[in-house]
Amino acid sequence: MLGPLAARRAGAIPRGVRHLESIAPDEARNLQATLCGYDRHEAGRALLATVDLYRRWSDAGGAVVERRHHAEKLAMQYLHDVIDQGC
């Protein structure tokens, strides 16, 4: 989902992530924050970075996204709880 949003931000046709680093280099660098290892805190950080990029790129891209703010708030609270507490 982030690849097409990144391409759209760069003015390219949103068709996945092939060659994204050449058509949207800044966005491709931003995507590095979504990578992680197997550590719970790394995975949590990567998920939070993914959410942040999705929010910024979908808002700025003119996409019509119906936001359900209450559900989003609850989901983010849950994610933070999982990251902080562990399984």
Side-chain angles (χ1 to χ4, degrees):
M1 185 64 180
L2 290 176
L5 286 175
R8 186 178 336 168
R9 282 177 50 88
I13 297 171
R15 290 189 181 160
V17 295
R18 286 191 76 189
H19 309 290
L20 187 62
E21 64 279 353
S22 61
I23 62 172
D26 292 336
E27 288 79 1
R29 272 190 295 282
N30 289 333
L31 285 171
Q32 290 177 355
T34 66
L35 302 175
C36 68
Y38 295 104
D39 177 76
R40 172 176 44 94
H41 291 288
E42 268 189 59
R45 178 201 46 77
L47 280 170
L48 292 172
T50 300
V51 170
D52 179 59
L53 287 176
Y54 178 79
R55 284 176 174 166
R56 288 189 293 148
W57 292 353
S58 63
D59 286 345
V64 179
V65 176
E66 181 183 338
R67 279 251 164 85
R68 299 200 172 141
H69 295 286
H70 182 66
E72 184 176 325
K73 180 181 176 183
L74 292 175
M76 292 305 295
Q77 284 176 338
Y78 177 75
L79 178 56
H80 281 284
D81 288 345
V82 170
I83 293 168
D84 294 341
Q85 293 176 0
C87 297

